mmCIF file of all heavy atoms in Angstrom:
data_model
loop_
_atom_site.group_PDB
_atom_site.id
_atom_site.type_symbol
_atom_site.label_atom_id
_atom_site.label_comp_id
_atom_site.label_asym_id
_atom_site.label_seq_id
_atom_site.Cartn_x
_atom_site.Cartn_y
_atom_site.Cartn_z
ATOM 1 N N SER A 1 5.289 15.737 12.145
ATOM 2 C CA SER A 1 5.675 15.013 10.932
ATOM 3 C C SER A 1 6.807 14.031 11.227
ATOM 4 O O SER A 1 6.785 12.881 10.772
ATOM 5 C CB SER A 1 6.104 16.003 9.858
ATOM 6 O OG SER A 1 6.527 15.333 8.717
ATOM 7 N N ALA A 2 7.798 14.466 11.981
ATOM 8 C CA ALA A 2 8.907 13.579 12.355
ATOM 9 C C ALA A 2 8.395 12.420 13.202
ATOM 10 O O ALA A 2 8.811 11.268 13.020
ATOM 11 C CB ALA A 2 9.981 14.365 13.109
ATOM 12 N N PHE A 3 7.493 12.702 14.122
ATOM 13 C CA PHE A 3 6.909 11.660 14.971
ATOM 14 C C PHE A 3 6.141 10.659 14.122
ATOM 15 O O PHE A 3 6.276 9.439 14.297
ATOM 16 C CB PHE A 3 5.994 12.296 16.021
ATOM 17 C CG PHE A 3 5.341 11.309 16.937
ATOM 18 C CD1 PHE A 3 6.050 10.763 17.993
ATOM 19 C CD2 PHE A 3 4.021 10.916 16.739
ATOM 20 C CE1 PHE A 3 5.459 9.844 18.844
ATOM 21 C CE2 PHE A 3 3.423 10.007 17.579
ATOM 22 C CZ PHE A 3 4.141 9.464 18.638
ATOM 23 N N ASP A 4 5.329 11.148 13.189
ATOM 24 C CA ASP A 4 4.552 10.265 12.313
ATOM 25 C C ASP A 4 5.467 9.370 11.484
ATOM 26 O O ASP A 4 5.184 8.186 11.285
ATOM 27 C CB ASP A 4 3.646 11.083 11.389
ATOM 28 C CG ASP A 4 2.511 11.774 12.135
ATOM 29 O OD1 ASP A 4 2.251 11.420 13.305
ATOM 30 O OD2 ASP A 4 1.896 12.690 11.539
ATOM 31 N N GLU A 5 6.571 9.937 10.997
ATOM 32 C CA GLU A 5 7.529 9.158 10.208
ATOM 33 C C GLU A 5 8.141 8.043 11.055
ATOM 34 O O GLU A 5 8.285 6.910 10.593
ATOM 35 C CB GLU A 5 8.624 10.072 9.648
ATOM 36 C CG GLU A 5 9.672 9.353 8.838
ATOM 37 C CD GLU A 5 9.112 8.655 7.611
ATOM 38 O OE1 GLU A 5 8.102 9.115 7.042
ATOM 39 O OE2 GLU A 5 9.681 7.615 7.220
ATOM 40 N N LYS A 6 8.477 8.343 12.302
ATOM 41 C CA LYS A 6 9.034 7.317 13.194
ATOM 42 C C LYS A 6 7.999 6.237 13.480
ATOM 43 O O LYS A 6 8.335 5.053 13.536
ATOM 44 C CB LYS A 6 9.534 7.936 14.507
ATOM 45 C CG LYS A 6 10.750 8.806 14.345
ATOM 46 C CD LYS A 6 11.922 8.010 13.840
ATOM 47 C CE LYS A 6 13.127 8.891 13.628
ATOM 48 N NZ LYS A 6 14.217 8.190 12.979
ATOM 49 N N GLU A 7 6.746 6.625 13.647
ATOM 50 C CA GLU A 7 5.687 5.638 13.855
ATOM 51 C C GLU A 7 5.561 4.715 12.653
ATOM 52 O O GLU A 7 5.415 3.508 12.804
ATOM 53 C CB GLU A 7 4.345 6.321 14.127
ATOM 54 C CG GLU A 7 4.136 6.689 15.568
ATOM 55 C CD GLU A 7 2.697 7.111 15.845
ATOM 56 O OE1 GLU A 7 2.023 7.647 14.930
ATOM 57 O OE2 GLU A 7 2.257 6.895 16.974
ATOM 58 N N ARG A 8 5.625 5.276 11.441
ATOM 59 C CA ARG A 8 5.562 4.451 10.224
ATOM 60 C C ARG A 8 6.749 3.497 10.168
ATOM 61 O O ARG A 8 6.603 2.324 9.817
ATOM 62 C CB ARG A 8 5.534 5.334 8.977
ATOM 63 C CG ARG A 8 4.174 5.921 8.668
ATOM 64 C CD ARG A 8 4.142 6.593 7.294
ATOM 65 N NE ARG A 8 4.970 7.777 7.209
ATOM 66 C CZ ARG A 8 4.606 8.985 7.619
ATOM 67 N NH1 ARG A 8 3.421 9.181 8.151
ATOM 68 N NH2 ARG A 8 5.422 10.007 7.505
ATOM 69 N N GLU A 9 7.920 4.004 10.514
ATOM 70 C CA GLU A 9 9.115 3.173 10.491
ATOM 71 C C GLU A 9 9.001 2.024 11.496
ATOM 72 O O GLU A 9 9.344 0.886 11.185
ATOM 73 C CB GLU A 9 10.343 4.033 10.806
ATOM 74 C CG GLU A 9 11.651 3.314 10.670
ATOM 75 C CD GLU A 9 12.852 4.217 10.926
ATOM 76 O OE1 GLU A 9 12.704 5.450 10.903
ATOM 77 O OE2 GLU A 9 13.936 3.668 11.161
ATOM 78 N N ILE A 10 8.504 2.311 12.683
ATOM 79 C CA ILE A 10 8.323 1.269 13.699
ATOM 80 C C ILE A 10 7.322 0.230 13.210
ATOM 81 O O ILE A 10 7.538 -0.980 13.353
ATOM 82 C CB ILE A 10 7.884 1.882 15.042
ATOM 83 C CG1 ILE A 10 9.051 2.648 15.671
ATOM 84 C CG2 ILE A 10 7.354 0.814 15.996
ATOM 85 C CD1 ILE A 10 8.661 3.507 16.854
ATOM 86 N N PHE A 11 6.221 0.678 12.596
ATOM 87 C CA PHE A 11 5.224 -0.243 12.061
ATOM 88 C C PHE A 11 5.856 -1.154 11.010
ATOM 89 O O PHE A 11 5.655 -2.371 11.018
ATOM 90 C CB PHE A 11 4.046 0.527 11.454
ATOM 91 C CG PHE A 11 3.055 -0.365 10.775
ATOM 92 C CD1 PHE A 11 2.113 -1.064 11.519
ATOM 93 C CD2 PHE A 11 3.074 -0.517 9.399
ATOM 94 C CE1 PHE A 11 1.207 -1.906 10.891
ATOM 95 C CE2 PHE A 11 2.177 -1.355 8.767
ATOM 96 C CZ PHE A 11 1.241 -2.055 9.512
ATOM 97 N N MET A 12 6.651 -0.565 10.103
ATOM 98 C CA MET A 12 7.292 -1.365 9.053
ATOM 99 C C MET A 12 8.281 -2.363 9.644
ATOM 100 O O MET A 12 8.361 -3.515 9.195
ATOM 101 C CB MET A 12 7.985 -0.445 8.042
ATOM 102 C CG MET A 12 7.002 0.332 7.190
ATOM 103 S SD MET A 12 7.735 1.642 6.150
ATOM 104 C CE MET A 12 9.144 0.855 5.438
ATOM 105 N N LEU A 13 9.035 -1.943 10.653
ATOM 106 C CA LEU A 13 9.989 -2.847 11.292
ATOM 107 C C LEU A 13 9.276 -3.991 12.011
ATOM 108 O O LEU A 13 9.713 -5.140 11.942
ATOM 109 C CB LEU A 13 10.881 -2.077 12.265
ATOM 110 C CG LEU A 13 11.908 -1.151 11.617
ATOM 111 C CD1 LEU A 13 12.569 -0.278 12.674
ATOM 112 C CD2 LEU A 13 12.940 -1.948 10.853
ATOM 113 N N LYS A 14 8.164 -3.685 12.683
ATOM 114 C CA LYS A 14 7.392 -4.744 13.341
ATOM 115 C C LYS A 14 6.838 -5.718 12.312
ATOM 116 O O LYS A 14 6.829 -6.930 12.533
ATOM 117 C CB LYS A 14 6.250 -4.140 14.166
ATOM 118 C CG LYS A 14 6.690 -3.540 15.465
ATOM 119 C CD LYS A 14 5.484 -3.010 16.242
ATOM 120 C CE LYS A 14 5.857 -2.496 17.600
ATOM 121 N NZ LYS A 14 4.682 -2.019 18.340
ATOM 122 N N ASP A 15 6.364 -5.196 11.188
ATOM 123 C CA ASP A 15 5.845 -6.043 10.126
ATOM 124 C C ASP A 15 6.937 -6.960 9.585
ATOM 125 O O ASP A 15 6.731 -8.164 9.414
ATOM 126 C CB ASP A 15 5.270 -5.160 9.007
ATOM 127 C CG ASP A 15 4.576 -5.960 7.946
ATOM 128 O OD1 ASP A 15 3.623 -6.696 8.279
ATOM 129 O OD2 ASP A 15 4.981 -5.857 6.769
ATOM 130 N N GLU A 16 8.106 -6.393 9.315
ATOM 131 C CA GLU A 16 9.240 -7.180 8.822
ATOM 132 C C GLU A 16 9.654 -8.239 9.843
ATOM 133 O O GLU A 16 9.922 -9.382 9.491
ATOM 134 C CB GLU A 16 10.421 -6.258 8.508
ATOM 135 C CG GLU A 16 11.690 -6.984 8.093
ATOM 136 C CD GLU A 16 11.575 -7.690 6.762
ATOM 137 O OE1 GLU A 16 10.684 -7.351 5.961
ATOM 138 O OE2 GLU A 16 12.385 -8.609 6.521
ATOM 139 N N LEU A 17 9.700 -7.863 11.094
ATOM 140 C CA LEU A 17 10.052 -8.810 12.152
ATOM 141 C C LEU A 17 9.052 -9.962 12.195
ATOM 142 O O LEU A 17 9.437 -11.129 12.314
ATOM 143 C CB LEU A 17 10.106 -8.110 13.511
ATOM 144 C CG LEU A 17 10.420 -9.005 14.713
ATOM 145 C CD1 LEU A 17 11.780 -9.672 14.550
ATOM 146 C CD2 LEU A 17 10.360 -8.191 15.994
ATOM 147 N N GLY A 18 7.774 -9.650 12.062
ATOM 148 C CA GLY A 18 6.749 -10.695 12.059
ATOM 149 C C GLY A 18 6.934 -11.663 10.907
ATOM 150 O O GLY A 18 6.808 -12.884 11.075
ATOM 151 N N ARG A 19 7.255 -11.137 9.716
ATOM 152 C CA ARG A 19 7.493 -12.003 8.556
ATOM 153 C C ARG A 19 8.742 -12.854 8.753
ATOM 154 O O ARG A 19 8.760 -14.036 8.411
ATOM 155 C CB ARG A 19 7.593 -11.173 7.276
ATOM 156 C CG ARG A 19 6.220 -10.709 6.805
ATOM 157 C CD ARG A 19 6.244 -10.010 5.452
ATOM 158 N NE ARG A 19 6.420 -8.577 5.715
ATOM 159 C CZ ARG A 19 7.437 -7.847 5.292
ATOM 160 N NH1 ARG A 19 8.361 -8.371 4.550
ATOM 161 N NH2 ARG A 19 7.523 -6.571 5.593
ATOM 162 N N GLN A 20 9.791 -12.283 9.335
ATOM 163 C CA GLN A 20 11.013 -13.049 9.589
ATOM 164 C C GLN A 20 10.776 -14.132 10.630
ATOM 165 O O GLN A 20 11.283 -15.257 10.489
ATOM 166 C CB GLN A 20 12.137 -12.118 10.033
ATOM 167 C CG GLN A 20 12.660 -11.251 8.914
ATOM 168 C CD GLN A 20 13.766 -10.320 9.376
ATOM 169 O OE1 GLN A 20 14.225 -10.372 10.506
ATOM 170 N NE2 GLN A 20 14.199 -9.445 8.482
ATOM 171 N N LYS A 21 10.006 -13.819 11.662
ATOM 172 C CA LYS A 21 9.689 -14.825 12.679
ATOM 173 C C LYS A 21 8.907 -15.981 12.064
ATOM 174 O O LYS A 21 9.168 -17.149 12.359
ATOM 175 C CB LYS A 21 8.899 -14.190 13.826
ATOM 176 C CG LYS A 21 9.756 -13.315 14.727
ATOM 177 C CD LYS A 21 8.936 -12.503 15.705
ATOM 178 C CE LYS A 21 8.228 -13.329 16.732
ATOM 179 N NZ LYS A 21 7.538 -12.507 17.742
ATOM 180 N N LEU A 22 7.951 -15.658 11.200
ATOM 181 C CA LEU A 22 7.164 -16.697 10.539
ATOM 182 C C LEU A 22 8.061 -17.577 9.675
ATOM 183 O O LEU A 22 7.974 -18.808 9.736
ATOM 184 C CB LEU A 22 6.061 -16.068 9.687
ATOM 185 C CG LEU A 22 5.251 -17.046 8.823
ATOM 186 C CD1 LEU A 22 4.523 -18.057 9.699
ATOM 187 C CD2 LEU A 22 4.282 -16.285 7.939
ATOM 188 N N ALA A 23 8.924 -16.959 8.876
ATOM 189 C CA ALA A 23 9.818 -17.728 8.003
ATOM 190 C C ALA A 23 10.757 -18.611 8.818
ATOM 191 O O ALA A 23 10.969 -19.781 8.478
ATOM 192 C CB ALA A 23 10.622 -16.777 7.110
ATOM 193 N N THR A 24 11.289 -18.070 9.905
ATOM 194 C CA THR A 24 12.193 -18.846 10.756
ATOM 195 C C THR A 24 11.463 -20.025 11.391
ATOM 196 O O THR A 24 11.972 -21.148 11.403
ATOM 197 C CB THR A 24 12.806 -17.949 11.851
ATOM 198 O OG1 THR A 24 13.510 -16.877 11.224
ATOM 199 C CG2 THR A 24 13.756 -18.724 12.737
ATOM 200 N N GLN A 25 10.273 -19.773 11.900
ATOM 201 C CA GLN A 25 9.481 -20.842 12.519
ATOM 202 C C GLN A 25 9.126 -21.921 11.496
ATOM 203 O O GLN A 25 9.239 -23.108 11.771
ATOM 204 C CB GLN A 25 8.209 -20.254 13.144
ATOM 205 C CG GLN A 25 7.389 -21.246 13.923
ATOM 206 C CD GLN A 25 8.073 -21.722 15.190
ATOM 207 O OE1 GLN A 25 9.074 -21.182 15.630
ATOM 208 N NE2 GLN A 25 7.542 -22.759 15.773
ATOM 209 N N ALA A 26 8.699 -21.500 10.306
ATOM 210 C CA ALA A 26 8.333 -22.457 9.263
ATOM 211 C C ALA A 26 9.544 -23.287 8.846
ATOM 212 O O ALA A 26 9.446 -24.510 8.705
ATOM 213 C CB ALA A 26 7.738 -21.725 8.063
ATOM 214 N N LEU A 27 10.681 -22.643 8.644
ATOM 215 C CA LEU A 27 11.893 -23.355 8.243
ATOM 216 C C LEU A 27 12.337 -24.335 9.326
ATOM 217 O O LEU A 27 12.708 -25.475 9.039
ATOM 218 C CB LEU A 27 13.008 -22.357 7.927
ATOM 219 C CG LEU A 27 14.335 -22.942 7.456
ATOM 220 C CD1 LEU A 27 14.138 -23.759 6.191
ATOM 221 C CD2 LEU A 27 15.333 -21.823 7.213
ATOM 222 N N THR A 28 12.280 -23.896 10.571
ATOM 223 C CA THR A 28 12.656 -24.767 11.689
ATOM 224 C C THR A 28 11.762 -26.004 11.728
ATOM 225 O O THR A 28 12.256 -27.132 11.809
ATOM 226 C CB THR A 28 12.552 -23.992 13.022
ATOM 227 O OG1 THR A 28 13.434 -22.881 12.973
ATOM 228 C CG2 THR A 28 12.923 -24.866 14.194
ATOM 229 N N ARG A 29 10.470 -25.799 11.660
ATOM 230 C CA ARG A 29 9.540 -26.932 11.672
ATOM 231 C C ARG A 29 9.760 -27.853 10.479
ATOM 232 O O ARG A 29 9.719 -29.073 10.605
ATOM 233 C CB ARG A 29 8.096 -26.443 11.680
ATOM 234 C CG ARG A 29 7.671 -25.872 12.991
ATOM 235 C CD ARG A 29 6.206 -25.496 12.942
ATOM 236 N NE ARG A 29 5.809 -24.802 14.143
ATOM 237 C CZ ARG A 29 4.582 -24.346 14.354
ATOM 238 N NH1 ARG A 29 3.639 -24.520 13.452
ATOM 239 N NH2 ARG A 29 4.295 -23.721 15.472
ATOM 240 N N PHE A 30 9.986 -27.264 9.309
ATOM 241 C CA PHE A 30 10.212 -28.050 8.100
ATOM 242 C C PHE A 30 11.433 -28.951 8.262
ATOM 243 O O PHE A 30 11.383 -30.140 7.957
ATOM 244 C CB PHE A 30 10.386 -27.111 6.899
ATOM 245 C CG PHE A 30 10.669 -27.817 5.612
ATOM 246 C CD1 PHE A 30 9.634 -28.403 4.889
ATOM 247 C CD2 PHE A 30 11.959 -27.895 5.111
ATOM 248 C CE1 PHE A 30 9.885 -29.058 3.696
ATOM 249 C CE2 PHE A 30 12.216 -28.547 3.925
ATOM 250 C CZ PHE A 30 11.186 -29.131 3.203
ATOM 251 N N LEU A 31 12.538 -28.370 8.735
ATOM 252 C CA LEU A 31 13.766 -29.147 8.899
ATOM 253 C C LEU A 31 13.581 -30.286 9.902
ATOM 254 O O LEU A 31 14.079 -31.402 9.685
ATOM 255 C CB LEU A 31 14.917 -28.236 9.338
ATOM 256 C CG LEU A 31 15.386 -27.209 8.315
ATOM 257 C CD1 LEU A 31 16.391 -26.258 8.944
ATOM 258 C CD2 LEU A 31 15.972 -27.888 7.098
ATOM 259 N N ILE A 32 12.871 -30.017 10.986
ATOM 260 C CA ILE A 32 12.645 -31.043 12.006
ATOM 261 C C ILE A 32 11.692 -32.118 11.486
ATOM 262 O O ILE A 32 11.953 -33.316 11.615
ATOM 263 C CB ILE A 32 12.135 -30.410 13.316
ATOM 264 C CG1 ILE A 32 13.249 -29.560 13.942
ATOM 265 C CG2 ILE A 32 11.651 -31.479 14.298
ATOM 266 C CD1 ILE A 32 12.800 -28.681 15.093
ATOM 267 N N GLU A 33 10.584 -31.708 10.857
ATOM 268 C CA GLU A 33 9.600 -32.668 10.354
ATOM 269 C C GLU A 33 10.159 -33.533 9.234
ATOM 270 O O GLU A 33 9.788 -34.692 9.107
ATOM 271 C CB GLU A 33 8.329 -31.947 9.895
ATOM 272 C CG GLU A 33 7.510 -31.413 11.052
ATOM 273 C CD GLU A 33 6.286 -30.625 10.606
ATOM 274 O OE1 GLU A 33 5.934 -30.661 9.404
ATOM 275 O OE2 GLU A 33 5.682 -29.965 11.477
ATOM 276 N N LYS A 34 11.050 -33.011 8.415
ATOM 277 C CA LYS A 34 11.666 -33.779 7.338
ATOM 278 C C LYS A 34 12.792 -34.673 7.851
ATOM 279 O O LYS A 34 13.358 -35.452 7.096
ATOM 280 C CB LYS A 34 12.212 -32.856 6.244
ATOM 281 C CG LYS A 34 11.148 -32.157 5.448
ATOM 282 C CD LYS A 34 10.424 -33.131 4.557
ATOM 283 C CE LYS A 34 9.435 -32.421 3.673
ATOM 284 N NZ LYS A 34 8.762 -33.304 2.751
ATOM 285 N N GLY A 35 13.122 -34.543 9.133
ATOM 286 C CA GLY A 35 14.180 -35.371 9.717
ATOM 287 C C GLY A 35 15.573 -34.916 9.338
ATOM 288 O O GLY A 35 16.540 -35.657 9.502
ATOM 289 N N ILE A 36 15.701 -33.719 8.821
ATOM 290 C CA ILE A 36 17.009 -33.191 8.431
ATOM 291 C C ILE A 36 17.836 -32.874 9.672
ATOM 292 O O ILE A 36 19.054 -33.032 9.681
ATOM 293 C CB ILE A 36 16.840 -31.959 7.523
ATOM 294 C CG1 ILE A 36 16.142 -32.391 6.236
ATOM 295 C CG2 ILE A 36 18.163 -31.280 7.250
ATOM 296 C CD1 ILE A 36 15.709 -31.271 5.326
ATOM 297 N N ILE A 37 17.154 -32.433 10.712
ATOM 298 C CA ILE A 37 17.815 -32.124 11.980
ATOM 299 C C ILE A 37 16.826 -32.420 13.104
ATOM 300 O O ILE A 37 15.621 -32.339 12.913
ATOM 301 C CB ILE A 37 18.278 -30.643 12.017
ATOM 302 C CG1 ILE A 37 19.232 -30.390 13.160
ATOM 303 C CG2 ILE A 37 17.096 -29.702 12.057
ATOM 304 C CD1 ILE A 37 19.951 -29.049 13.076
ATOM 305 N N GLU A 38 17.354 -32.803 14.254
ATOM 306 C CA GLU A 38 16.490 -33.045 15.410
ATOM 307 C C GLU A 38 16.380 -31.762 16.231
ATOM 308 O O GLU A 38 17.292 -30.933 16.227
ATOM 309 C CB GLU A 38 17.065 -34.174 16.259
ATOM 310 C CG GLU A 38 17.010 -35.517 15.553
ATOM 311 C CD GLU A 38 17.446 -36.665 16.427
ATOM 312 O OE1 GLU A 38 17.459 -36.506 17.674
ATOM 313 O OE2 GLU A 38 17.776 -37.716 15.870
ATOM 314 N N ALA A 39 15.271 -31.626 16.933
ATOM 315 C CA ALA A 39 15.015 -30.407 17.706
ATOM 316 C C ALA A 39 16.135 -30.135 18.705
ATOM 317 O O ALA A 39 16.585 -28.994 18.843
ATOM 318 C CB ALA A 39 13.669 -30.501 18.407
ATOM 319 N N ALA A 40 16.614 -31.162 19.396
ATOM 320 C CA ALA A 40 17.678 -30.981 20.389
ATOM 321 C C ALA A 40 18.974 -30.543 19.719
ATOM 322 O O ALA A 40 19.698 -29.687 20.247
ATOM 323 C CB ALA A 40 17.889 -32.264 21.171
#
């Protein structure tokens, strides 16, 4: 049961990380494409 709970927690953390990576990537691209900031 403890092992299963840790597996669920890891799955949730990976899911959250994936959503954060997507949001960060989208925001970065948006800022660059809008000319708000340059990639360099």
Side-chain angles (χ1 to χ4, degrees):
S1 178
F3 180 79
D4 291 346
E5 179 61 30
K6 291 297 178 188
E7 275 191 331
R8 280 190 293 278
E9 186 177 343
I10 289 169
F11 175 80
M12 290 171 45
L13 289 171
K14 283 182 175 181
D15 186 58
E16 175 67 20
L17 178 60
R19 284 186 269 119
Q20 289 179 5
K21 286 170 67 175
L22 174 62
T24 301
Q25 186 68 12
L27 182 59
T28 300
R29 287 184 187 179
F30 178 80
L31 293 172
I32 292 169
E33 288 177 11
K34 291 289 185 177
I36 297 171
I37 193 168
E38 292 186 19

